[in-house]
Short mmCIF file of all heavy atoms in Angstrom, two decimals:
data_model
loop_
_atom_site.label_atom_id
_atom_site.label_comp_id
_atom_site.label_asym_id
_atom_site.label_seq_id
_atom_site.Cartn_x
_atom_site.Cartn_y
_atom_site.Cartn_z
N TYR A 1 235.69 168.74 105.15
CA TYR A 1 235.42 170.11 104.69
C TYR A 1 234.78 170.15 103.30
O TYR A 1 234.67 171.23 102.70
CB TYR A 1 236.72 170.92 104.71
CG TYR A 1 237.12 171.28 106.11
CD1 TYR A 1 237.92 170.43 106.87
CD2 TYR A 1 236.66 172.44 106.72
CE1 TYR A 1 238.27 170.74 108.18
CE2 TYR A 1 236.99 172.76 108.02
CZ TYR A 1 237.80 171.90 108.74
OH TYR A 1 238.13 172.21 110.04
N SER A 2 234.34 169.02 102.81
CA SER A 2 233.65 168.93 101.52
C SER A 2 234.41 169.64 100.41
O SER A 2 233.88 170.53 99.73
CB SER A 2 232.23 169.51 101.62
OG SER A 2 231.49 168.82 102.60
N THR A 3 235.66 169.25 100.26
CA THR A 3 236.49 169.84 99.20
C THR A 3 237.29 168.74 98.51
O THR A 3 237.27 167.59 98.91
CB THR A 3 237.40 170.95 99.78
OG1 THR A 3 237.95 171.70 98.70
CG2 THR A 3 238.50 170.39 100.65
N ASP A 4 238.00 169.10 97.48
CA ASP A 4 238.81 168.17 96.70
C ASP A 4 240.14 167.92 97.42
O ASP A 4 240.87 168.87 97.71
CB ASP A 4 239.05 168.78 95.33
CG ASP A 4 239.78 167.86 94.37
OD1 ASP A 4 240.43 166.89 94.81
OD2 ASP A 4 239.70 168.11 93.15
N PRO A 5 240.48 166.66 97.70
CA PRO A 5 241.75 166.38 98.39
C PRO A 5 242.98 166.84 97.62
O PRO A 5 244.04 167.05 98.23
CB PRO A 5 241.75 164.86 98.58
CG PRO A 5 240.67 164.33 97.74
CD PRO A 5 239.72 165.45 97.43
N ALA A 6 242.87 167.05 96.34
CA ALA A 6 244.01 167.52 95.55
C ALA A 6 244.44 168.92 95.98
O ALA A 6 245.58 169.33 95.73
CB ALA A 6 243.66 167.51 94.06
N TYR A 7 243.54 169.65 96.64
CA TYR A 7 243.84 171.02 97.06
C TYR A 7 244.15 171.15 98.55
O TYR A 7 244.26 172.25 99.07
CB TYR A 7 242.69 171.95 96.70
CG TYR A 7 242.46 172.03 95.21
CD1 TYR A 7 241.32 171.49 94.64
CD2 TYR A 7 243.40 172.61 94.39
CE1 TYR A 7 241.11 171.53 93.28
CE2 TYR A 7 243.21 172.67 93.02
CZ TYR A 7 242.07 172.13 92.47
OH TYR A 7 241.87 172.18 91.12
N VAL A 8 244.25 170.02 99.24
CA VAL A 8 244.52 170.02 100.68
C VAL A 8 245.97 169.61 100.91
O VAL A 8 246.43 168.60 100.39
CB VAL A 8 243.59 169.04 101.42
CG1 VAL A 8 243.93 168.99 102.91
CG2 VAL A 8 242.13 169.41 101.21
N THR A 9 246.69 170.42 101.69
CA THR A 9 248.06 170.05 102.06
C THR A 9 248.14 169.89 103.58
O THR A 9 247.54 170.67 104.32
CB THR A 9 249.11 171.09 101.60
OG1 THR A 9 248.82 172.34 102.21
CG2 THR A 9 249.12 171.24 100.10
N VAL A 10 248.88 168.87 103.99
CA VAL A 10 249.11 168.61 105.41
C VAL A 10 250.62 168.61 105.60
O VAL A 10 251.32 167.79 105.00
CB VAL A 10 248.50 167.26 105.84
CG1 VAL A 10 248.80 166.99 107.31
CG2 VAL A 10 247.00 167.22 105.57
N THR A 11 251.11 169.53 106.40
CA THR A 11 252.55 169.69 106.60
C THR A 11 252.89 169.52 108.06
O THR A 11 252.31 170.18 108.92
CB THR A 11 253.01 171.08 106.11
OG1 THR A 11 252.55 171.29 104.78
CG2 THR A 11 254.52 171.19 106.14
N GLU A 12 253.83 168.63 108.34
CA GLU A 12 254.28 168.39 109.71
C GLU A 12 255.50 169.24 110.02
O GLU A 12 256.42 169.32 109.21
CB GLU A 12 254.63 166.92 109.89
CG GLU A 12 253.50 165.97 109.59
CD GLU A 12 253.97 164.53 109.42
OE1 GLU A 12 255.10 164.20 109.84
OE2 GLU A 12 253.19 163.75 108.85
N TYR A 13 255.48 169.87 111.18
CA TYR A 13 256.62 170.64 111.67
C TYR A 13 257.04 170.06 113.02
O TYR A 13 256.66 170.56 114.07
CB TYR A 13 256.25 172.13 111.81
CG TYR A 13 255.93 172.79 110.50
CD1 TYR A 13 254.61 173.00 110.11
CD2 TYR A 13 256.94 173.22 109.66
CE1 TYR A 13 254.31 173.62 108.90
CE2 TYR A 13 256.66 173.83 108.45
CZ TYR A 13 255.34 174.03 108.08
OH TYR A 13 255.05 174.63 106.88
N SER A 14 257.80 168.97 112.97
CA SER A 14 258.14 168.26 114.20
C SER A 14 259.01 169.09 115.15
O SER A 14 258.97 168.88 116.36
CB SER A 14 258.82 166.93 113.87
OG SER A 14 259.97 167.14 113.09
N VAL A 15 259.78 170.03 114.62
CA VAL A 15 260.63 170.87 115.47
C VAL A 15 259.79 171.65 116.48
O VAL A 15 260.23 171.88 117.61
CB VAL A 15 261.47 171.83 114.61
CG1 VAL A 15 262.22 172.84 115.45
CG2 VAL A 15 262.44 171.05 113.74
N VAL A 16 258.58 172.02 116.09
CA VAL A 16 257.71 172.79 116.99
C VAL A 16 256.42 172.04 117.34
O VAL A 16 255.45 172.64 117.78
CB VAL A 16 257.39 174.18 116.39
CG1 VAL A 16 258.62 175.06 116.38
CG2 VAL A 16 256.79 174.06 115.00
N ASN A 17 256.41 170.73 117.13
CA ASN A 17 255.26 169.88 117.48
C ASN A 17 253.95 170.42 116.91
O ASN A 17 252.95 170.56 117.62
CB ASN A 17 255.14 169.73 119.00
CG ASN A 17 256.33 169.04 119.60
OD1 ASN A 17 256.89 168.12 119.01
ND2 ASN A 17 256.74 169.47 120.78
N SER A 18 253.96 170.70 115.62
CA SER A 18 252.78 171.29 114.98
C SER A 18 252.51 170.67 113.62
O SER A 18 253.40 170.16 112.95
CB SER A 18 252.98 172.80 114.79
OG SER A 18 253.15 173.43 116.03
N ILE A 19 251.26 170.76 113.22
CA ILE A 19 250.81 170.33 111.90
C ILE A 19 250.02 171.48 111.30
O ILE A 19 249.15 172.06 111.97
CB ILE A 19 249.94 169.06 111.99
CG1 ILE A 19 250.72 167.91 112.62
CG2 ILE A 19 249.41 168.68 110.60
CD1 ILE A 19 249.87 166.71 112.97
N LYS A 20 250.30 171.80 110.06
CA LYS A 20 249.59 172.87 109.35
C LYS A 20 248.83 172.24 108.20
O LYS A 20 249.39 171.49 107.41
CB LYS A 20 250.59 173.90 108.82
CG LYS A 20 249.96 175.00 108.01
CD LYS A 20 251.01 175.96 107.52
CE LYS A 20 250.41 177.01 106.62
NZ LYS A 20 251.38 178.01 106.21
N ILE A 21 247.56 172.57 108.12
CA ILE A 21 246.71 172.07 107.04
C ILE A 21 246.19 173.27 106.27
O ILE A 21 245.67 174.22 106.87
CB ILE A 21 245.52 171.26 107.61
CG1 ILE A 21 246.05 170.09 108.44
CG2 ILE A 21 244.61 170.79 106.48
CD1 ILE A 21 245.00 169.42 109.29
N THR A 22 246.35 173.25 104.96
CA THR A 22 245.85 174.34 104.12
C THR A 22 244.83 173.77 103.15
O THR A 22 245.05 172.71 102.55
CB THR A 22 247.01 175.01 103.36
OG1 THR A 22 247.98 175.46 104.31
CG2 THR A 22 246.53 176.20 102.56
N LEU A 23 243.71 174.47 103.01
CA LEU A 23 242.66 174.03 102.11
C LEU A 23 241.91 175.24 101.57
O LEU A 23 241.98 176.32 102.14
CB LEU A 23 241.68 173.08 102.83
CG LEU A 23 240.92 173.63 104.02
CD1 LEU A 23 239.54 172.98 104.07
CD2 LEU A 23 241.66 173.32 105.29
N PRO A 24 241.19 175.07 100.46
CA PRO A 24 240.47 176.21 99.89
C PRO A 24 239.26 176.60 100.74
O PRO A 24 238.62 175.74 101.35
CB PRO A 24 240.03 175.70 98.52
CG PRO A 24 240.12 174.22 98.57
CD PRO A 24 241.09 173.87 99.64
N ARG A 25 238.98 177.89 100.79
CA ARG A 25 237.78 178.39 101.47
C ARG A 25 236.56 178.03 100.63
O ARG A 25 236.64 177.92 99.40
CB ARG A 25 237.85 179.91 101.61
CG ARG A 25 238.91 180.38 102.58
CD ARG A 25 238.91 181.90 102.64
NE ARG A 25 237.60 182.42 103.02
CZ ARG A 25 237.27 182.80 104.25
NH1 ARG A 25 238.16 182.74 105.22
NH2 ARG A 25 236.07 183.26 104.51
N ARG A 26 235.42 177.89 101.26
CA ARG A 26 234.17 177.62 100.53
C ARG A 26 233.71 178.85 99.76
O ARG A 26 233.10 178.74 98.70
CB ARG A 26 233.08 177.19 101.49
CG ARG A 26 233.34 175.83 102.07
CD ARG A 26 232.22 175.39 102.94
NE ARG A 26 232.62 174.17 103.62
CZ ARG A 26 231.82 173.41 104.29
NH1 ARG A 26 230.55 173.73 104.39
NH2 ARG A 26 232.27 172.32 104.88
N ALA A 27 233.98 180.01 100.31
CA ALA A 27 233.66 181.28 99.65
C ALA A 27 234.84 182.21 99.87
O ALA A 27 235.52 182.14 100.89
CB ALA A 27 232.39 181.89 100.25
N VAL A 28 235.09 183.08 98.93
CA VAL A 28 236.17 184.05 99.04
C VAL A 28 235.90 184.91 100.28
O VAL A 28 234.76 185.31 100.55
CB VAL A 28 236.24 184.92 97.77
CG1 VAL A 28 237.26 186.04 97.94
CG2 VAL A 28 236.56 184.07 96.56
N SER A 29 236.95 185.20 101.03
CA SER A 29 236.81 186.02 102.23
C SER A 29 236.17 187.36 101.88
O SER A 29 236.63 188.06 100.99
CB SER A 29 238.20 186.25 102.87
OG SER A 29 238.08 187.05 104.02
N GLY A 30 235.09 187.68 102.57
CA GLY A 30 234.39 188.94 102.33
C GLY A 30 233.27 188.84 101.32
O GLY A 30 232.50 189.78 101.16
N ASP A 31 233.15 187.71 100.63
CA ASP A 31 232.08 187.50 99.66
C ASP A 31 230.74 187.49 100.38
O ASP A 31 230.66 187.20 101.58
CB ASP A 31 232.30 186.17 98.94
CG ASP A 31 231.32 185.93 97.83
OD1 ASP A 31 231.56 186.45 96.72
OD2 ASP A 31 230.32 185.22 98.06
N ILE A 32 229.68 187.78 99.68
CA ILE A 32 228.35 187.78 100.29
C ILE A 32 227.99 186.41 100.88
O ILE A 32 227.23 186.32 101.84
CB ILE A 32 227.28 188.25 99.29
CG1 ILE A 32 225.97 188.52 100.03
CG2 ILE A 32 227.05 187.25 98.19
CD1 ILE A 32 225.38 189.83 99.76
N ASP A 33 228.54 185.34 100.34
CA ASP A 33 228.27 183.99 100.84
C ASP A 33 229.20 183.58 101.98
O ASP A 33 229.05 182.50 102.54
CB ASP A 33 228.38 182.97 99.71
CG ASP A 33 227.30 183.14 98.67
OD1 ASP A 33 226.17 183.52 99.05
OD2 ASP A 33 227.56 182.89 97.48
N ASP A 34 230.15 184.42 102.33
CA ASP A 34 231.12 184.10 103.37
C ASP A 34 230.50 184.33 104.75
O ASP A 34 229.94 185.38 105.02
CB ASP A 34 232.37 184.97 103.21
CG ASP A 34 233.47 184.63 104.19
OD1 ASP A 34 233.47 183.49 104.71
OD2 ASP A 34 234.32 185.49 104.45
N ASN A 35 230.62 183.32 105.62
CA ASN A 35 230.07 183.46 106.97
C ASN A 35 231.15 183.64 108.04
O ASN A 35 230.84 183.64 109.23
CB ASN A 35 229.17 182.27 107.31
CG ASN A 35 229.92 180.97 107.30
OD1 ASN A 35 231.11 180.92 107.04
ND2 ASN A 35 229.20 179.89 107.57
N ASP A 36 232.40 183.76 107.63
CA ASP A 36 233.50 183.91 108.59
C ASP A 36 234.65 184.63 107.89
O ASP A 36 235.59 184.01 107.40
CB ASP A 36 233.93 182.53 109.08
CG ASP A 36 235.02 182.57 110.14
OD1 ASP A 36 235.39 183.67 110.60
OD2 ASP A 36 235.52 181.50 110.50
N ILE A 37 234.58 185.93 107.82
CA ILE A 37 235.50 186.73 107.02
C ILE A 37 236.97 186.49 107.36
O ILE A 37 237.83 186.53 106.50
CB ILE A 37 235.15 188.23 107.09
CG1 ILE A 37 235.85 189.00 105.98
CG2 ILE A 37 235.47 188.80 108.45
CD1 ILE A 37 235.31 190.39 105.76
N TYR A 38 237.27 186.20 108.62
CA TYR A 38 238.66 185.99 109.04
C TYR A 38 239.07 184.51 109.04
O TYR A 38 240.22 184.19 109.27
CB TYR A 38 238.90 186.59 110.42
CG TYR A 38 238.65 188.07 110.46
CD1 TYR A 38 237.60 188.59 111.18
CD2 TYR A 38 239.45 188.95 109.74
CE1 TYR A 38 237.35 189.95 111.19
CE2 TYR A 38 239.21 190.30 109.74
CZ TYR A 38 238.16 190.80 110.47
OH TYR A 38 237.91 192.15 110.48
N GLY A 39 238.12 183.63 108.83
CA GLY A 39 238.43 182.20 108.81
C GLY A 39 238.77 181.64 110.17
O GLY A 39 239.35 180.56 110.27
#
């Protein structure tokens, strides 16, 4: 995703067989440079 790994979190939720990854958006949601307002 061409971002800094310091801002990426990977969280495992084994109880529900899921992994959640959070990372910064390339542009703020709704910004003129945003191409996917809902992500």
Side-chain angles (χ1 to χ4, degrees):
Y1 287 89
S2 301
T3 193
D4 185 341
Y7 298 111
V8 177
T9 61
V10 178
T11 308
E12 302 165 17
Y13 295 100
S14 58
V15 172
V16 290
N17 297 323
S18 299
I19 300 170
K20 177 181 176 176
I21 302 167
T22 304
L23 62 147
R25 291 179 57 98
R26 291 184 188 190
V28 174
S29 179
D31 186 83
I32 192 128
D33 293 326
D34 184 22
N35 62 0
D36 183 6
I37 195 166
Y38 300 113

